[in-house]
Amino acid sequence: MKNTRISLFLVLPAIIISFAFFLLPIVQLFKVSVVEGNGISYWNILTQPMYLKSLLSTVGLSTFVTFVSLVIATITGLFLTRYEFWGKQVLIAMLSFPLAFPGVVIGFFVIMLAGRQGLFAQIGLALVGERWMFAYSMAGLFLGYLYFSIPRVVLTVMGAAEKLDQNLIEAGRSLGASRWQIFCDVTVPTLRPGLISSGSICFATSMGAFGTAFTLATNINVLPMTIYTEFTLNANFAMAAALSLILGLVTWVCLGIAKRQGAASVGMGG
Amino acid sequence: MKKDKYFYMQLLFTLAVCSFLIVPVVMSAVAGVTNNYFVGIKSGFTLRWVEQVWMLYSDTIWLTMKIALATTMINVIVGVPCAYVMASSKSRWVSVFDELLTLPIAIPGMAISLGIISVYGGFSDFRSSWFFILIGHVIFTLPFMVKSVLAVLQSFNFKVLEEGAASLGASFWRRFFDVIIPNCKAGIVAGMLMTLTLSIGEFNLTWMLHTPLTKTLPVGLADSYASMRFEVSSAYTLIFLCLILPLLVLAQMLNNKKVQNN
Amino acid sequence: MTDKTNSVEITLKNITKTFSDGTLALKPTDLTIKAEEILVLLGPSGCGKTTTLRLIAGLEFADSNGGSINFGDKNVTELPIEKRKVGMVFQSYALFPNMNVSENIVYGLKVRGIDTAVIDHKLAEMLKMFDLEKYAKRGVHQLSGGQRQRVALARAIITEPDVLLLDEPLSALDALLKARLRGDIRTLLKSLGITAVYVTHDQEEAMAMGDRIAVLDHGEIAQIGSAKEIYLQPKNAFVADFIGQMNRFEGNVIDAQLVLNTGKKIPLSSEALASSNANETLSMMLRPEDIRLTKVTDEQHALTGIVSSSVFLGDRTRVTLEKVQKEGKVIVDCFQRIEYPSGQIVALSFESKHLIPLQG
């Protein structure tokens, strides 16, 4: 039928771009990871401590960042939906703008806070006479990841909290439930889908965050940095391909979980 | 709700979170116009770092804008018709294609760029041109454009509007340009702003795809963070923020307008 | 638009429609809509009335089984809507939100590349005719339901289509406006002399609008005829029940009377008797307004019932009776202002010619 032909014509450019510049490259990457390394790359990842350690430390860091972000975002998100006060819109804008900052810039912001001339160094100098510096450590990385995670999670929690039925809370109070009981029995169940979806997104972004790591993790082996080193310094394309495919698989699964929980939009690069 | 001690505790906490996000932005903005950051603000303000950045890196800024505009144009031309077909077609292939199209959001730029290099890296003319970066940006931002338009299309019954136009004698293309496009304008504009913002700030893909002659702004930023003095890096960051903040404010305003209209 | 359009006759021959999921939306159907006629397609949701309209419009295409749709002499079976020269008013009006009232109205002319001077002239005429002059530059979202409805109509007729199709055009309006507008629309259609197909699920609207009514049920035309024919001579129980209220009596024919399962008897007219055999089971229908309630004088022979409820509706009192038959109730509309307390025993009387025999 004629309509089908027009539809195909309209969608064809998108299909071509998608196939040529995404599907084909990913397939090629898979081929490279299997053929060039004789399939040994995947085995190496599991057996060589360097790669395994990199994978595990990235997972560990991402999990911790996700957990802390969720706690912070729940408190802040609930607060911002529950109360009306002067300047609230400004706070919300402040919380959402960092969404668009690329990872490198966030890395620089961490240097601003915890670098040699950073805020913490000044405070430390003033208080105890020594500079507090941790920008280029795991703690600095954690701070950076937290920076790009908080906005995503806060906005999702706010979206979920708006659906919170005030009647339920009032009903809970009328039945004599304490603040804490209401939080556990009414608030958290309502927020749960939002928390799971934004948590998955947060975890996925942390796993793949290259920009922040590139600025800060010169001495830390997180997965994106390992991939980069394999590719540029060791010229081990097969290993880089295998690692990035594993990374891709992990983040894809995470975002699949987020999607099933009804995440409206998935965040931007970290 | 009444403002008791819990209110103030949460307010304090939220303010702390906000300052964690905003203080470094302000600090880098200030550092970018300070004579000597090591000495502090008392050393006085200056624009010479900004000028220095402009001399060193102005080509990265132009290239970034060129790529961002080209990406946006391609996204509109490719993404809007694509979203229309996805919204109107009942074919089961649509959901398969939807998955494929959104996959680049899920898969780290690292993997995509390595893949692109492995397929097209051998074409040296292509590899060394800015088009190589452009395709990466299009792959990464196209899903946002499509989703943005799709969301608008799904929010009203565009099929019946199309039928209305058809009943008045309008051919497919007339219907498309007279009825579909104007009524998706909000989604297209939101998608364009999103594309511009993402493309200007894109680093993960771009770092792998760039060559010394095709450096974009974030690539230049990473470069300056590693090798330049603090004030120059800050001034450069300041320029980046000046580019991106108007887009964010605009997007926020559009969003507020949408909420009000509803 | 004071001059009459060249209206055409619409003929559907052996048209069927099966949806992609396999449901048969329209069984093989023949239908002729005369030139200048207003035909109403009436039925419950899912009966195929909208499908029929969309087939005539060219928004859906009939199964390819040799069936055809003709506008006059022209076979339009394969033509899409934009080539059929139809005007259509949609249930949701489908006004373009990106255009103001005037732009909406003239869109069909603009598409056809009509001269601007002509467009302006026709627009002025339409705005005047539909009393929309004040709203010419307004956005469509600023209009009330009734105003939108008028814009939709103006937009549909400005191109002088061969056929006007209306898909439940009043369903989004409140009852009062609905009643007024259906008169207005009918007058307009008649003055235009246009062939019109009008879809509704509201039987009152159907009777007020249509020259003829086609009652659809499960993808086929159950009955087609004037409002009077359909109301007074329904062909089957579905039509009878769908149009107005109906009481149903069932019994055996004994001694020229219908004997109900309570032993009560209803005298039958000679026509009814002629078409039935003795001892045969028979169904008879009777409209509530054809029954009169009287005092019981002869308890032995009269058809009696017990009042179970009575509701005053302004112009009439609707009385519900029990125990006429073993199951079911009988509804009676009384136009005298008499009180019928619950529990009272009353006698039913009616002229036997008002009884409608039913098959099935």
Side-chain angles (χ1 to χ4, degrees):
Chain A
M1 231 173 97
K2 197 172 156 239
N3 274 344
T4 330
R5 246 189 297 143
I6 291 184
S7 293
L8 200 62
F9 173 76
L10 289 176
V11 83
L12 203 58
I15 292 179
I16 291 172
I17 289 177
S18 240
F19 273 74
F21 299 122
F22 178 67
L23 198 60
L24 184 62
I26 294 298
V27 170
Q28 176 72 15
L29 205 58
F30 184 70
K31 225 171 87 189
V32 166
S33 76
V34 174
V35 176
E36 270 185 31
N38 295 322
I40 225 143
S41 308
Y42 291 99
W43 177 248
N44 282 349
I45 292 169
L46 291 176
T47 49
Q48 290 190 14
M50 185 179 76
Y51 302 121
L52 198 61
K53 218 184 117 206
S54 155
L55 188 63
L56 291 179
S57 64
T58 315
V59 169
L61 176 64
S62 302
T63 312
F64 190 50
V65 166
T66 305
F67 176 73
V68 176
S69 304
L70 285 178
V71 172
I72 291 176
T74 305
I75 300 172
T76 312
L78 278 177
F79 170 71
L80 286 173
T81 34
R82 199 170 280 175
Y83 295 99
E84 282 304 324
F85 55 91
W86 186 85
K88 178 174 144 171
Q89 286 309 317
V90 180
L91 289 187
I92 293 176
M94 279 172 152
L95 282 167
S96 47
F97 278 163
L99 254 179
F101 295 158
V104 257
V105 173
I106 290 170
F108 183 65
F109 287 162
V110 173
I111 298 174
M112 270 286 164
L113 288 174
R116 228 188 101 72
Q117 296 169 49
L119 186 67
F120 287 110
Q122 308 292 335
I123 294 173
L125 211 54
L127 290 180
V128 293
E130 75 179 89
R131 292 176 183 274
W132 290 336
M133 294 187 300
F134 52 89
Y136 299 97
S137 69
M138 209 59 160
L141 214 52
F142 169 75
L143 217 55
Y145 285 18
L146 206 55
Y147 191 99
F148 63 68
S149 298
I150 288 174
R152 284 164 231 273
V153 192
V154 169
L155 291 183
T156 323
V157 170
M158 283 177 65
E162 262 153 29
K163 295 193 193 86
L164 196 62
D165 188 355
Q166 281 301 319
N167 285 334
L168 284 180
I169 293 174
E170 282 160 14
R173 283 171 66 180
S174 77
L175 294 167
S178 71
R179 226 167 223 282
W180 178 247
Q181 279 169 325
I182 289 173
F183 178 75
C184 292
D185 297 337
V186 179
T187 312
V188 171
T190 316
L191 297 185
R192 187 171 292 135
L195 290 178
I196 293 175
S197 83
S198 59
S200 326
I201 292 172
C202 176
F203 182 80
T205 332
S206 302
M207 286 292 293
F210 175 55
T212 315
F214 185 79
T215 321
L216 298 176
T218 34
N219 300 316
I220 310 166
N221 256 334
V222 282
L223 203 47
M225 283 313 285
T226 312
I227 296 172
Y228 180 66
T229 322
E230 285 301 320
F231 177 62
T232 47
L233 297 182
N234 306 345
N236 189 349
F237 204 163
M239 181 51 90
L243 283 171
S244 60
L245 281 175
I246 288 180
L247 182 58
L249 193 69
V250 172
T251 50
W252 184 48
V253 168
C254 287
L255 292 164
I257 295 171
K259 221 187 207 168
R260 271 190 37 198
Q261 297 290 337
S265 71
V266 168
M268 311 172 186
Chain B
M1 205 167 262
K2 76 177 196 300
K3 292 174 182 170
D4 50 12
K5 66 172 186 222
Y6 293 102
F7 170 81
Y8 290 103
M9 275 160 62
Q10 290 178 69
L11 177 64
L12 222 62
F13 184 82
T14 304
L15 286 175
V17 174
C18 284
S19 39
F20 166 54
L21 298 178
I22 295 306
V23 164
V25 181
V26 177
M27 281 173 72
S28 83
V30 172
V33 290
T34 306
N35 245 324
N36 186 336
Y37 191 69
F38 196 68
V39 177
I41 313 173
K42 54 183 176 290
S43 65
F45 292 114
T46 174
L47 280 178
R48 78 185 147 112
W49 307 121
V50 178
E51 277 162 30
Q52 196 176 332
V53 168
W54 191 257
M55 268 164 51
L56 286 168
Y57 293 111
S58 65
D59 53 331
T60 68
I61 298 166
W62 293 122
L63 181 66
T64 294
M65 279 166 40
K66 187 160 85 177
I67 291 175
L69 289 176
T71 308
T72 310
M73 229 166 68
I74 293 176
N75 276 1
V76 171
I77 295 169
V78 173
V80 177
C82 172
Y84 166 76
V85 173
M86 287 171 73
S88 51
S89 172
K90 288 188 212 77
S91 163
R92 67 201 157 88
W93 290 106
V94 165
S95 58
V96 176
F97 184 60
D98 184 32
E99 187 64 31
L100 177 69
L101 197 72
T102 40
L103 215 50
I105 304 180
I107 290 185
M110 203 96 229
I112 302 173
S113 46
L114 282 180
I116 291 177
I117 291 170
S118 73
V119 178
Y120 302 101
F123 304 93
S124 59
D125 283 346
F126 182 34
R127 175 74 181 91
S128 55
S129 74
W130 63 280
F131 292 105
F132 205 63
I133 299 173
L134 179 68
I135 57 165
H137 283 207
V138 168
I139 279 295
F140 175 57
T141 54
L142 186 60
F144 290 96
M145 185 74 191
V146 172
K147 292 273 150 178
S148 174
V149 178
L150 205 55
V152 174
L153 280 173
Q154 281 161 349
S155 71
F156 71 101
N157 190 349
F158 70 93
K159 273 278 149 206
V160 73
L161 290 186
E162 249 197 301
E163 289 179 352
S167 79
L168 295 164
S171 66
F172 175 80
W173 293 108
R174 283 239 45 168
R175 302 199 290 265
F176 190 69
F177 287 110
D178 287 353
V179 177
I180 301 294
I181 299 277
N183 286 304
C184 297
K185 218 166 58 194
I188 297 174
V189 172
M192 285 169 78
L193 284 175
M194 190 92 153
T195 305
L196 283 174
T197 316
L198 287 172
S199 174
I200 290 175
E202 212 307 309
F203 175 77
N204 296 1
L205 280 157
T206 320
W207 182 260
M208 308 293 278
L209 298 178
H210 87 278
T211 64
L213 291 175
T214 53
K215 279 188 185 173
T216 64
L217 206 165
V219 169
L221 275 176
D223 198 70
S224 79
Y225 294 159
S227 58
M228 290 289 153
R229 59 179 292 160
F230 209 60
E231 292 85 348
V232 175
S233 302
S234 295
Y236 202 1
T237 309
L238 182 63
I239 291 178
F240 169 76
L241 291 175
C242 288
L243 267 180
I244 212 155
L245 278 177
L247 296 172
L248 295 179
V249 172
L250 219 58
Q252 187 99 359
M253 273 162 53
L254 280 178
N255 206 27
N256 287 348
K257 207 175 124 199
K258 199 174 78 199
V259 171
Q260 272 167 21
N261 282 352
N262 290 346
Chain C
M1 290 281 291
T2 39
D3 48 323
K4 292 203 169 189
T5 41
N6 328 319
S7 59
V8 298
E9 183 177 85
I10 305 171
T11 345
L12 276 68
K13 271 204 198 98
N14 192 26
I15 287 293
T16 16
K17 176 68 188 175
T18 316
F19 284 137
S20 51
D21 63 353
T23 45
L24 184 60
L26 195 66
K27 293 174 189 163
T29 298
D30 293 303
L31 177 64
T32 303
I33 303 151
K34 298 187 213 91
E36 302 194 19
E37 181 185 34
I38 303 174
L39 179 82
V40 175
L41 300 175
L42 174 68
S45 58
C47 69
K49 58 186 191 301
T50 300
T51 306
T52 311
L53 187 82
R54 290 173 68 87
L55 284 165
I56 297 172
L59 288 170
E60 307 273 356
F61 293 95
D63 300 344
S64 35
N65 58 350
S68 68
I69 300 175
N70 276 58
F71 285 3
D73 303 328
K74 196 168 150 205
N75 185 335
V76 297
T77 320
E78 301 288 329
L79 287 184
I81 184 165
E82 61 263 30
K83 305 231 170 84
R84 280 198 190 183
K85 284 188 78 184
V86 295
M88 188 150 177
V89 178
F90 293 82
Q91 187 170 6
S92 60
Y93 312 138
L95 299 180
F96 308 128
N98 55 313
M99 304 179 193
N100 66 23
V101 169
S102 299
E103 288 164 343
N104 261 286
I105 294 177
V106 301
Y107 184 74
L109 297 177
K110 258 176 67 189
V111 164
R112 286 171 174 77
I114 308 277
D115 200 55
T116 341
V118 180
I119 291 182
D120 288 346
H121 174 71
K122 287 205 171 189
L123 173 64
E125 209 174 9
M126 280 296 144
L127 290 172
K128 188 155 182 270
M129 185 161 145
F130 286 94
D131 198 18
L132 287 166
E133 284 146 316
K134 272 186 288 183
Y135 310 105
K137 296 281 170 246
R138 288 244 182 121
V140 289
H141 55 275
Q142 292 169 290
L143 301 180
S144 71
Q147 288 160 350
R148 283 177 205 210
Q149 214 276 329
R150 268 145 49 205
V151 176
L153 254 175
R155 188 179 73 173
I157 63 169
I158 197 171
T159 58
E160 301 180 24
D162 289 342
V163 174
L164 188 63
L165 306 167
L166 305 104
D167 185 7
E168 309 220 13
L170 300 178
S171 64
L173 304 174
D174 62 80
L176 214 65
L177 199 56
K178 226 182 218 178
R180 209 186 69 215
L181 278 179
R182 66 182 174 226
D184 290 354
I185 294 180
R186 185 175 162 87
T187 315
L188 172 77
L189 295 183
K190 282 294 150 195
S191 75
L192 293 172
I194 194 170
T195 314
V197 185
Y198 189 108
V199 164
T200 182
H201 63 264
D202 179 336
Q203 49 116 348
E204 212 174 304
E205 198 173 305
M207 295 172 90
M209 281 298 307
D211 295 327
R212 281 194 302 157
I213 298 170
V215 184
L216 279 88
D217 177 31
H218 289 98
E220 60 187 333
I221 297 177
Q223 188 174 358
I224 182 163
S226 69
K228 215 171 191 174
E229 282 164 5
I230 287 191
Y231 191 80
L232 297 178
Q233 290 143 33
K235 270 196 186 150
N236 58 32
F238 174 80
V239 176
D241 283 332
F242 196 75
I243 309 263
Q245 283 282 343
M246 205 46 125
N247 295 304
R248 186 174 190 152
F249 297 104
E250 252 172 43
N252 293 319
V253 182
I254 299 168
D255 295 340
Q257 298 191 99
L258 187 70
V259 181
L260 305 179
N261 57 13
T262 45
K264 293 173 183 173
K265 298 181 184 95
I266 295 174
L268 293 173
S269 66
S270 45
E271 293 94 44
L273 280 172
S275 62
S276 65
N277 304 316
N279 286 324
E280 192 192 26
T281 310
L282 202 62
S283 270
M284 286 294 193
M285 310 286 263
L286 191 57
R287 295 278 178 199
E289 67 271 22
D290 289 334
I291 305 175
R292 285 182 311 279
L293 297 181
T294 52
K295 281 218 178 77
V296 182
T297 47
D298 179 2
E299 199 146 343
Q300 287 295 303
H301 298 99
L303 179 61
T304 57
I306 300 171
V307 175
S308 74
S309 71
S310 97
V311 182
F312 179 65
L313 294 172
D315 57 340
R316 63 206 141 103
T317 305
R318 174 154 286 186
V319 183
T320 312
L321 305 174
E322 283 179 329
K323 301 270 167 70
V324 182
Q325 303 180 85
K326 274 186 182 156
E327 304 91 26
K329 296 184 171 178
V330 174
I331 292 165
V332 180
D333 282 343
C334 302
F335 295 90
Q336 291 91 8
R337 294 191 180 149
I338 303 171
E339 296 281 328
Y340 294 97
S342 295
Q344 188 186 355
I345 300 175
V346 289
L348 291 75
S349 68
F350 47 85
E351 290 178 46
S352 51
K353 67 172 185 194
H354 286 150
L355 281 169
I356 309 157
L358 263 192
Q359 294 85 39

